[in-house]
Amino acid sequence: MYTTRLGATASGTTEYLSQHNIRGNTIPKNGLKVSSVGFGSFRITSEQPLHKVSLLRALKSGVNLIDTSGHFGDGKSEKLIGESLKEAFQEGNIQRENVVVMTKAGYIPSLADANIPVSQYARVTKTAGHSIHPDFLKQQITSSLERLGLDKIDIFMLNNPERILQSQDKIISKSTLYQQIAVAFESLDEEVREGRIGGYGICSNAMGLPGSIEHLSLMELFKNCGSKFSDNFLAVQSPFNLFEKEIIFPTDRDTISLAQEAQKHNLFVVGNRPLMAIANGEIRLLANSSAGVDLSAESLMSQLSDLFQRLDSLEDSLIEDFTFIEDTFASKFVWCQVLFQMTTLHCITLTMVSGLD
């Protein structure tokens, strides 16, 4: 198996983006610089050759953030990423220190197939569970590293720990969950010391939604177990799209946003679900289906480039109207500008990144 003892470095990531003239944002606590558009991998699989082509093309074009999870495709997403990175490293198109690999753990899609003690997970449906127990996380990191063909994960996320509140076999309060997160972070600090991960964070669908019964408050998290946090806590991830904007624009303007609270603690904010939203209890696709459309790749890219260029102009006008937003956040509202620059990538799926540098 191809392995490397290296992880992403501040100098390596900065140099890579400068070579490709790609807009980037800096992770405050470790200085890693990542492209403003990352490669999301929810549905990619090693069984689909086009997915590897897309990832390799993205890497060659300057995209240096890859976002995945151990349960995506039952591990096939990580396997595809590992195969693609191995090929890119061997061809010399990118070095390990240039690329930031982020993966997650928490979901247990099938309890019947998982050899996990009952005490280490919460049953959230008849067949599925959720866990952030240190032993479970250790095993998940080991499996992810094997599939990725790496010796180090740059950012390891607890994936939607609020789902544990849905437990059907035990009563778990929010205060208990905060304590469990603190214990998980302590175990991840040890993983950092061992060199298996570069740092960690939380991916949460509810962290930016104060009105949700599953809301995890970053403020309360620090208040309840702040003494157990360290500089290894690097980032938070939450949905951000045309419908789900609460991480920057809270429904109640008197409420501090997740982005603002994260900035106070030097945490990097990563947005996910840019092309799909869950709004009013419905899944809304924010991309047109290609069914029935017979366009060549060149024609499609030409049309996309033209549309993004026009939207880029509208975006500039829109920002001028956001007089109530701090420049720090308004300057990050540049999706169309970035997508216009990236229309030659032919990426399957994207993860939008909002940096707080």
Side-chain angles (χ1 to χ4, degrees), residues 136-155:
F136 173 77
L137 297 177
K138 185 178 185 68
Q139 182 273 327
Q140 290 293 296
I141 290 172
T142 298
S143 296
S144 290
L145 288 170
E146 290 175 352
R147 288 188 290 262
L148 290 166
L150 302 174
D151 282 348
K152 186 175 186 177
I153 295 164
D154 298 301
I155 304 177

Side-chain angles (χ1 to χ4, degrees), residues 72-89:
F72 288 175
D74 196 26
K76 293 177 182 177
S77 174
E78 288 183 332
K79 184 178 179 182
L80 179 279
I81 291 167
E83 294 171 352
S84 300
L85 287 175
K86 176 181 178 179
E87 184 173 323
F89 292 158

Side-chain angles (χ1 to χ4, degrees), residues 43 64 197 280 333:
R43 290 185 175 87
N64 77 330
I197 66 174
N280 297 324
F333 197 72

